[in-house]
């Protein structure tokens, strides 16, 4: 059953054996009741000490799915910030079921130490919740069988036979001719004979009868001892000249050396 929008009556009567946060004077307690976004505060019990009395009543609209109150007790200070005394959480299962709950709930500090207790008296109208549940169920109640059956026609004993199927008409196109049992394949054409291939021309001129020459030797090879290019027949080649002497060698009249006994030879130069 839903509790959405129903009112819960919470009465804060007072506290007992609260933790004392004052050393030289009596503390001034007050209580804050929190439910969802609702925050309600009692008056401050001036010089209430450890056993203040409030006797204040609040009406809180309930929200479906949230069945718990949060209680916080503080000590009011004039100059400094208020001192936290203790807090607790109050479940609403008992009051929502029976409609009444009268109990004292223990308070604890942030370090889970005892800080006294708070006295609450809660009331809840269970009959209003039952009426709301009845209205909700009546909206979706099914109609009687007789009323619903009158809107539908009575089924007949024998169902009508379906219409006969229409026969398929003859095809509009002509049928394909039947293949011959003995069909002669067309004669195959012989493949054409490729033309004879022409030999490739030889590169580098006509072949030579000389064997391959060693690396660095001119082509064609010269006779041994004959300079390049060859000299005419009967003409002797010049003899090798000393280093620094022009070519051809000077005549006998221009030579600084006397004639030697052998032509073409010169005496060694003195050191």
């Amino acid at each position: 059953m839903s509790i959405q929008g129903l009112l819960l009556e919470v009465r804060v009567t007072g506290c007992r054996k609260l933790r004392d946060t004052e050393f030289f004077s009596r503390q001034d307690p007050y209580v804050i009741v929190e439910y969802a976004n609702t925050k309600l505060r009692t008056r401050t019990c001036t010089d209430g000490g450890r056993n203040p009395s409030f006797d204040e009543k609040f009406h809180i609209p309930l929200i479906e799915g949230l069945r718990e109150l949060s209680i916080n007790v503080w000590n009011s200070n004039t100059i400094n910030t208020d001192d936290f005394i203790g807090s607790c959480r109050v479940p609403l299962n008992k009051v929502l079921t029976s409609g009444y709950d009268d109990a004292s709930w223990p308070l604890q500090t942030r370090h889970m130490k005892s800080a006294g207790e708070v006295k609450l008296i809660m009331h809840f109208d269970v009959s209003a919740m039952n009426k709301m549940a009845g209205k909700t169920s009546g909206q979706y109640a099914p109609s009687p069988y007789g009323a619903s059956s009158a809107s539908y026609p009575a089924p007949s004993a024998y169902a009508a036979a379906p219409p006969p199927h229409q026969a398929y008409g003859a095809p509009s196109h002509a049928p394909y001719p039947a293949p011959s049992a003995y069909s002669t394949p067309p004669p195959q054409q012989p493949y054409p004979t490729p033309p004879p291939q022409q030999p490739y021309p030889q590169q580098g001129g006509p072949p030579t009868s000389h064997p391959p020459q060693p690396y660095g030797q001119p082509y064609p090879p010269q006779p041994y001892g004959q300079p390049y290019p060859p000299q005419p027949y009967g003409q002797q080649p010049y003899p090798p000249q000393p280093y620094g002497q022009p070519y051809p060698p000077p005549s006998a009249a221009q030579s600084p050396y006397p004639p030697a006994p052998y032509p073409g030879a010169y005496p060694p130069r003195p050191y």
Side-chain angles (χ1 to χ4, degrees), residues 154-175:
S156 60
Y158 300 96
H165 296 282
Q166 297 293 333
Y168 292 100
S172 59
H173 59 82

Side-chain angles (χ1 to χ4, degrees), residues 32-110:
I32 294 180
V33 180
E34 295 183 11
Y35 180 80
N37 296 328
T38 304
K39 184 180 292 187
L40 305 171
R41 182 185 185 278
T42 65
R43 61 177 178 84
T44 301
C45 184
T46 305
D47 295 334
R50 300 185 61 187
N51 301 293
S53 296
F54 304 102
D55 197 16
E56 292 193 29
K57 187 186 300 183
F58 304 104
H59 293 87
I60 302 174
L62 297 177
I63 299 174
E64 180 62 33
L66 182 57
R67 304 192 177 193
E68 187 180 66
L69 295 178
S70 178
I71 307 298
N72 297 278
V73 182
W74 295 79
N75 174 37
S76 178
N77 292 323
T78 305
I79 300 176
N80 301 327
T81 57
D82 295 348
D83 300 323
F84 176 74
I85 298 176
S87 64
C88 68
R89 293 185 177 274
V90 179
L92 304 179
N93 298 328
K94 181 179 178 181
V95 66
L96 295 179
T97 303
S98 61
Y100 178 81
D101 189 5
D102 181 6
S104 297
W105 304 93
L107 300 172
Q108 290 182 341
T109 64
R110 293 188 177 96

Side-chain angles (χ1 to χ4, degrees), residues 185-249:
Q188 297 183 358
Q189 298 295 333
Y191 291 99
T193 304
Q197 298 182 359
Q198 299 294 331
Y200 291 98
Q202 296 182 358
Q203 303 294 334
T208 177
S209 59
H210 298 284
Q213 305 300 323
Y215 178 77
Q217 187 172 356
Y219 181 89
Q222 304 297 330
Y224 178 77
Q226 184 175 357
Y228 186 88
Q231 305 295 328
Y233 180 78
Q235 183 176 354
Q236 298 296 329
Y238 294 101
Q241 303 300 323
Y243 178 75
Q245 187 173 356
Y247 187 90

